[in-house]
Amino acid sequence: MNAHRVDDNAHAIRKPIPDPWIHLAWITAGATPLKAWRHAADLTPQELATMAGISTALLTRLENRLQPMTVTQRLRFARLLGVSEGDLTE
């Protein structure tokens, strides 16, 4: 189920409403906070990468801890996912 807010404007970008239970399931399974919140927001890697203005490859590296996330990236992801910056820290 896609739970997204959409403005009256038909061209509005959908804004995710993360499901905390999905997040918990992914965290319990060993996912990083970024990956868990992306899944909780029902976004594909391509969707979140596009929203963040980065490549899908970079998002994958960040989600798999192959590259550290900068403070700027963490703030951007938090805003896009509708969570606090602290929710994305390890």
Side-chain angles (χ1 to χ4, degrees):
M1 171 167 58
N2 278 335
H4 301 283
R5 289 173 280 193
V6 178
D7 296 338
D8 291 335
N9 181 350
H11 301 291
I13 296 173
R14 65 188 186 135
K15 296 187 182 191
I17 302 172
D19 183 329
W21 293 108
I22 293 174
H23 171 262
L24 180 60
W26 278 92
I27 287 292
T28 302
T32 62
L34 178 58
K35 188 173 194 173
W37 282 117
R38 177 180 59 76
H39 280 284
D42 194 26
L43 293 170
T44 67
Q46 296 81 9
E47 289 172 322
L48 183 56
T50 298
M51 291 167 67
I54 62 172
S55 69
T56 304
L58 174 56
L59 177 62
T60 301
R61 288 193 306 273
L62 295 171
E63 283 188 343
N64 293 312
R65 296 183 183 117
L66 299 175
Q67 182 170 333
M69 197 178 337
T70 67
V71 172
T72 302
Q73 288 168 331
R74 190 171 20 263
L75 289 169
R76 181 178 298 135
F77 287 127
R79 181 179 49 82
L80 292 171
L81 293 168
V83 299
S84 73
E85 179 187 1
D87 289 333
L88 295 175
T89 58
E90 306 292 326

